[in-house]
Amino acid sequence: KQEVTQIPAALSVPEGENLVLNCSFTDSAIYNLQWFRQDPGKGLTSLLLIQSSQREQTSGRLNASLDKSSGRSTLYIAASQPGDSATYLCAVKTDKLIFGTGTRLQVFP
Amino acid sequence: NAGVMQNPRHLVRRRGQEARLRCSPMKGHSHVYWYRQLPEEGLKFMVYLQKENIIDESGMPKERFSAEFPKEGPSILRIQQVVRGDSAAYFCASSPDIGTRNQPQHFGDGTRLSIL
């Protein structure tokens, strides 16, 4: 049974820091891995999608890596800003998305 | 190109009533997924539908819950005889028809269901 774990559960940092959020999964038989952002009371915004054959994807200040064999992905956020404050979710795709419980990020000025 | 549309955004029901949640996928998407997010928990898969067919309902409770995606109109998640434990945010996602396994799922803003 696929299980997805995210560490840390919560993170509070000053503005400007570079951050690493971690995601691990137990079964490497996935089609892709997707990182989302969720603001309080809102829906999910897709940030990055990495296909199982890829190693990383970049979008602006975000970089996501995937090591399928070890069951790990990291989301790197460069030069964090208060507007980055949100919950970050990773999800692996089999026939459906299986989500981690998220990392709640707060970036203070 | 409109995104995934869910309505209502908020729904309040009393115990024992029925709740109907609607989801219109993105244009050109015929794959719809429903997820539930309980308070302080992650999103859990409920059901996967393709036009007029249920593909995977392994995450949906066997009793009181049903889902459909008719040939015309939105997908409907129906909860009968609601109980307090059904209070949650219900999210719908859709994906394209072609290469759906490798395509991202696009999410709606969710319906927040509160049971009094």
Side-chain angles (χ1 to χ4, degrees):
Chain A
K1 180 188 173 188
Q2 179 73 268
E3 293 184 0
V4 182
T5 304
Q6 290 187 245
I7 294 172
L11 189 58
S12 183
V13 299
E15 183 176 9
E17 281 205 5
N18 300 324
L19 308 172
V20 176
L21 307 182
N22 296 292
C23 173
S24 61
F25 49 97
T26 55
D27 188 342
S28 62
I30 63 172
Y31 295 119
N32 56 56
L33 184 146
Q34 206 168 346
W35 282 93
F36 295 89
R37 169 189 173 134
Q38 185 177 29
D39 292 282
K42 302 288 187 182
L44 277 69
T45 301
S46 181
L47 299 173
L48 290 164
L49 180 143
I50 312 176
Q51 301 294 351
S52 62
S53 58
Q54 296 176 324
R55 298 284 292 183
E56 65 177 335
Q57 283 287 333
T58 299
S59 176
R61 293 183 294 109
L62 305 179
N63 175 277
S65 66
L66 174 64
D67 184 342
K68 202 173 77 157
S69 60
S70 67
R72 293 179 185 175
S73 177
T74 59
L75 179 66
Y76 177 82
I77 304 175
S80 59
Q81 303 170 357
D84 295 331
S85 299
T87 296
Y88 290 81
L89 299 166
C90 75
V92 297
K93 178 84 182 296
T94 54
D95 287 328
K96 56 210 175 214
L97 283 177
I98 300 171
F99 284 84
T101 49
T103 293
R104 199 175 312 170
L105 173 65
Q106 183 181 13
V107 181
F108 52 90
Chain B
N1 185 15
V4 177
M5 304 300 292
Q6 288 188 249
N7 66 83
R9 291 292 305 276
H10 300 274
L11 182 60
V12 180
R13 285 287 178 266
R14 296 188 181 279
R15 282 178 293 170
Q17 291 184 321
E18 178 180 287
R20 280 184 178 239
L21 289 63
R22 287 177 291 278
C23 170
S24 296
M26 288 180 68
K27 187 177 180 181
H29 291 193
S30 66
H31 299 260
V32 165
Y33 310 80
W34 285 94
Y35 297 84
R36 177 166 66 175
Q37 187 175 35
L38 293 167
E40 303 301 322
E41 292 189 17
L43 278 83
K44 303 288 186 194
F45 167 80
M46 297 182 74
V47 61
Y48 164 29
L49 308 104
Q50 192 178 3
K51 278 289 185 181
E52 300 185 272
N53 292 305
I54 296 176
I55 308 299
D56 182 350
E57 57 182 350
S58 59
M60 196 159 67
K62 298 275 187 288
E63 297 182 355
R64 302 188 298 108
F65 285 73
S66 62
E68 63 176 10
F69 189 16
K71 188 176 180 181
E72 301 290 338
S75 175
I76 306 287
L77 180 67
R78 182 182 177 204
I79 312 172
Q80 296 178 289
Q81 299 174 347
V82 295
V83 300
R84 287 234 170 98
D86 296 333
S87 295
Y90 292 82
F91 290 96
C92 170
S94 71
S95 63
D97 298 342
I98 296 178
T100 191
R101 282 181 173 175
N102 295 321
Q103 295 287 341
Q105 291 186 11
H106 300 266
F107 280 76
D109 286 338
T111 292
R112 277 144 188 88
L113 176 64
S114 298
I115 308 302
L116 302 179

